[in-house]
Amino acid sequence: AKANRNSEVDLTWLTEAEINNDFFTIERSKDGEHFMQVAVVDGAGTSTSEHNYMTVDRHPYSGISYYRLMQTDFDGNKTFSEIR
């Protein structure tokens, strides 16, 4: 997560491989505990190659915004990234 010159936040991440990956949900928080959805980005399914992803938060909170990724498998299982 990196602020850009348009008062937005560029959100980028990469995967080296994916298994059963349906989609990513990008979430934002003011306090690092209570998160709301910012965007949903399709995953690559099952892949052994590197994938680069990007989206933009066009309406970040004033001051500090916290972000995390929620990765959802085709079977509904979810995992979360570290908070940034």
Side-chain angles (χ1 to χ4, degrees), residues 19-23 43-46 71-77:
I19 299 172
N20 195 31
N21 182 16
D22 191 4
F23 60 92
T46 298
Q71 184 275 321
T72 304
D73 289 341
F74 289 112
D75 61 8
N77 286 327

Side-chain angles (χ1 to χ4, degrees), residues 1-79:
K2 184 176 181 181
N4 66 32
R5 62 183 173 187
N6 299 321
S7 298
E8 301 169 335
V9 177
D10 296 327
L11 303 162
T12 60
W13 67 99
L14 69 88
T15 60
E16 292 183 2
E18 298 179 31
I19 299 172
N20 195 31
N21 182 16
D22 191 4
F23 60 92
F24 296 97
T25 304
I26 299 86
E27 298 180 322
R28 173 185 62 215
S29 172
K30 285 184 179 183
D31 61 9
E33 293 183 28
H34 303 93
F35 286 85
M36 295 183 63
Q37 179 178 307
V38 174
V40 175
V41 176
D42 287 337
T46 298
S47 172
T48 57
S49 60
E50 185 176 285
H51 289 273
N52 291 289
Y53 294 93
M54 183 196 172
T55 192
V56 176
D57 182 1
R58 301 198 185 287
H59 306 286
Y61 296 124
S62 290
I64 296 174
S65 294
Y66 298 92
Y67 295 91
R68 72 179 180 188
L69 285 174
M70 177 175 64
Q71 184 275 321
T72 304
D73 289 341
F74 289 112
D75 61 8
N77 286 327
K78 297 175 174 139
T79 56

